[in-house]
Amino acid sequence: MEKDEKKQTIRQQLKSGSDWNIRPYLAMGLTCFIVFSCCILVVCLLFRFQDIKSVFHMFVGIAQPILYGLAIGYLINPIMMIFEKFLLKLADRKGANKKLRRMVRTISSILAVLVFIFIIVLLISMVIPEISANISNLVDTLPAQINSFIVHLNDWEYGNQKIIAVVEEYLTTAADWMEDFLKNSLLPQTKDYVATVTSGVLNVLNVFKNLIIGLIVSIYVMCEKESFEGQTKKIIFALFPARAANQVIQVFHTTNEIFGGFIKGKLLDSLIIGIIFYIVLCIIKMPYTLLVSVIVGVTNIIPFFGPFIGAIPSAFLILLVDPLYAIYFVIFVVILQQIDGNIIGPKILGDSTGLSSFWVMFAILVGSGLFGVMGMLLGCPVFAVIYYIVQKIVHFFLEKKKLPVETKVYIEATGVEPSGNQLWYGKYADEKSSDDQEEEKEEEEM
């Protein structure tokens, strides 16, 4: 009977919500679980990074058509909106209904994809034949260019004969090595190279297949972009409180501005740099004009390091023809890079990333080290988004403590008042606190 009475008492206490409450224990357990999970995640990131990276690459490979479709749809969305705006004006004259507007969106998306394909085919048809001719010419004239380069060294009036002899020796050694490689390595291993080439061709075909699927996916993405946006916002508003949801939406909006401004601006900037290179090189009649202009223009997409990356192989090609032209080319690259970095680039991009030169270099180096070429291309905007999120968090806590958020205010600051909402200037915090203690002792002695 006593046991039954105790059970009844416990049940009544639970029902009435009296002294005993399970919520604090659930909160403690949930906190311990989250902390423990975060610790496991950090350990996995530190000690199993390569495995995580390989799994990530596997998922990226599976989702490659979708990623291509999202990227293409994002890039050509402005073209689609131009077509849609024009077609909607025509449709509104005839009293466009919902079904007709949806048809206009589909037609506009298809037209945007066709324009994208036309631009790519046009560029390939213009550039590839010229590049192929330049490369063929380079292969045919390479021995003569090496001999001409040696003659230039011998004719160098103030040249050091020892340096010339060393260069000639290395060039002769390289030529002998190439001949030995062709006879003893390349021909006997032809089967292996054929297998490698076959594998490469299959990879190219796979990329081409994923690209075609990506073009189809991009049409669906552009047709349903408002629906995807609405679904994303619905999930965010369902999972987060009002203030946090608004912050997440703002982060997505800023991310879109950063990526959109960076990619579109960088493509336009690279096109301008490539055209400037082509015009100037044609004027001074430099060899491999179109090939060098394409290399420099494409590599210019990479911030900061791009022009120098493209200049290295280009300068080497020109060096084989005429060393003096190579010097002119390097000087021109340095000058144009300064003009692009300080005038053309900022005007086009409008400081869309909001990063200083140091953080741009940091983002490129870390991105290239972790993800290779894609890290170099997208490291800057991705890091800009991370930088923005961290800045928002820091500003939130500063405003909570009623401290200013402007960075320049903290340059001369030496500490924070004990109240926590005012900055110290002058002596450093520990010095000032020790001085205050000494003053207090003197007052007590008085």
Side-chain angles (χ1 to χ4, degrees):
M1 292 292 292
E2 290 180 1
K3 289 182 179 179
D4 294 338
E5 288 177 0
K6 285 181 180 179
K7 287 180 180 179
Q8 230 172 9
T9 306
I10 291 170
R11 285 173 186 168
Q12 288 175 358
Q13 287 178 348
L14 289 172
K15 286 180 180 179
S16 61
S18 57
D19 299 335
W20 193 76
N21 192 356
I22 197 173
R23 287 184 179 178
Y25 301 100
L26 286 174
M28 289 171 59
L30 183 61
T31 304
C32 292
F33 174 76
I34 293 172
V35 171
F36 188 68
S37 300
C38 290
C39 291
I40 293 175
L41 182 62
V42 171
V43 171
C44 289
L45 287 174
L46 290 175
F47 296 101
R48 309 288 294 180
F49 180 75
Q50 292 299 327
D51 295 337
I52 294 173
K53 188 176 177 181
S54 63
V55 172
F56 173 76
H57 282 301
M58 181 187 72
F59 280 112
V60 169
I62 294 171
Q64 208 169 50
I66 304 296
L67 295 176
Y68 284 163
L70 292 173
I72 294 170
Y74 187 80
L75 288 174
I76 65 176
N77 183 59
I79 302 175
M80 184 277 296
M81 293 179 69
I82 294 172
F83 281 117
E84 185 180 33
K85 188 177 180 181
F86 174 75
L87 292 175
L88 280 176
K89 285 183 180 179
L90 298 177
D92 288 337
R93 293 175 185 174
K94 299 181 179 180
N97 53 23
K98 188 176 180 181
K99 187 176 181 180
L100 185 58
R101 285 178 174 272
R102 188 176 181 84
M103 189 181 297
V104 165
R105 169 62 63 84
T106 304
I107 295 171
S108 302
S109 301
I110 295 172
L111 288 175
V113 170
L114 292 176
V115 169
F116 176 76
I117 294 172
F118 174 75
I119 293 172
I120 297 298
V121 171
L122 182 65
L123 289 174
I124 291 174
S125 63
M126 289 173 58
V127 174
I128 293 297
E130 186 69 23
I131 293 176
S132 177
N134 285 333
I135 292 174
S136 300
N137 181 52
L138 175 65
V139 172
D140 294 336
T141 61
L142 185 60
Q145 288 173 353
I146 292 175
N147 293 330
S148 175
F149 181 62
I150 295 173
V151 170
H152 278 297
L153 288 176
N154 288 325
D155 292 340
W156 189 20
E157 186 177 355
Y158 301 102
N160 190 323
Q161 294 299 323
K162 291 183 179 179
I163 296 175
I164 295 172
V166 170
V167 172
E168 288 182 357
E169 182 183 351
Y170 275 111
L171 288 173
T172 305
T173 304
D176 293 339
W177 177 86
M178 180 64 70
E179 184 179 356
D180 180 68
F181 171 76
L182 292 172
K183 290 181 179 178
N184 301 323
S185 298
L186 182 62
L187 294 176
Q189 297 180 6
T190 304
K191 292 182 179 179
D192 297 335
Y193 290 121
V194 168
T196 304
V197 170
T198 304
S199 176
V201 170
L202 291 175
N203 290 332
V204 170
L205 291 174
N206 186 46
V207 171
F208 186 69
K209 179 202 74 175
N210 290 335
L211 188 59
I212 293 174
I213 298 173
L215 289 171
I216 298 171
V217 170
S218 68
I219 296 174
Y220 288 105
V221 169
M222 288 185 288
C223 288
E224 302 291 337
K225 63 176 185 176
E226 288 85 3
S227 177
F228 294 147
E229 183 180 357
Q231 290 172 352
T232 304
K233 289 181 179 178
K234 185 169 74 172
I235 294 170
I236 292 170
F237 293 147
L239 295 178
F240 296 98
R243 186 174 180 181
N246 293 335
Q247 292 294 329
V248 172
I249 296 296
Q250 187 178 355
V251 167
F252 275 111
H253 179 71
T254 306
T255 301
N256 178 54
E257 288 183 347
I258 291 173
F259 269 86
F262 176 82
I263 294 173
K264 295 168 189 172
K266 208 59 186 163
L267 289 173
L268 180 60
D269 179 45
S270 299
L271 179 63
I272 292 172
I273 294 300
I275 293 172
I276 292 173
F277 252 94
Y278 181 74
I279 294 171
V280 173
L281 296 185
C282 284
I283 292 172
I284 61 178
K285 296 180 179 179
M286 195 167 286
Y288 308 113
T289 302
L290 184 59
L291 178 61
V292 168
S293 302
V294 171
I295 292 173
V296 175
V298 170
T299 55
N300 190 68
I301 297 175
I302 301 170
F304 195 80
F305 295 107
F308 299 109
I309 294 173
I312 293 171
S314 304
F316 177 73
L317 292 176
I318 298 171
L319 178 68
L320 294 175
V321 178
D322 192 331
L324 190 60
Y325 270 166
I327 295 172
Y328 292 155
F329 175 77
V330 171
I331 294 172
F332 178 62
V333 167
V334 172
I335 294 172
L336 190 60
Q337 196 276 337
Q338 293 300 315
I339 295 173
D340 179 45
N342 296 303
I343 300 174
I344 301 175
K347 286 289 183 183
I348 295 174
L349 295 175
D351 296 328
S352 60
T353 59
L355 297 177
S356 64
S357 300
F358 169 79
W359 289 118
V360 170
M361 188 183 301
F362 176 84
I364 295 169
L365 292 173
V366 174
S368 62
L370 293 176
F371 302 106
V373 177
M374 289 303 297
M376 292 187 76
L377 292 173
L378 300 178
C380 189
V382 169
F383 186 80
V385 173
I386 297 171
Y387 185 90
Y388 170 77
I389 294 171
V390 172
Q391 188 182 56
K392 291 285 289 183
I393 295 171
V394 171
H395 286 183
F396 171 77
F397 284 108
L398 287 174
E399 289 172 353
K400 195 174 182 181
K401 294 181 179 181
K402 298 180 180 179
L403 290 171
V405 297
E406 295 83 5
T407 303
K408 60 183 180 181
V409 178
Y410 292 86
I411 295 174
E412 301 294 334
T414 56
V416 184
E417 292 285 353
S419 60
N421 55 13
Q422 190 174 351
L423 297 175
W424 270 346
Y425 295 93
K427 292 184 179 180
Y428 282 95
D430 55 351
E431 295 177 1
K432 188 171 181 180
S433 61
S434 61
D435 291 343
D436 292 340
Q437 290 175 1
E438 290 178 2
E439 289 177 3
E440 289 176 1
K441 287 182 181 178
E442 289 177 0
E443 289 177 0
E444 289 177 0
E445 290 176 358
M446 293 294 291

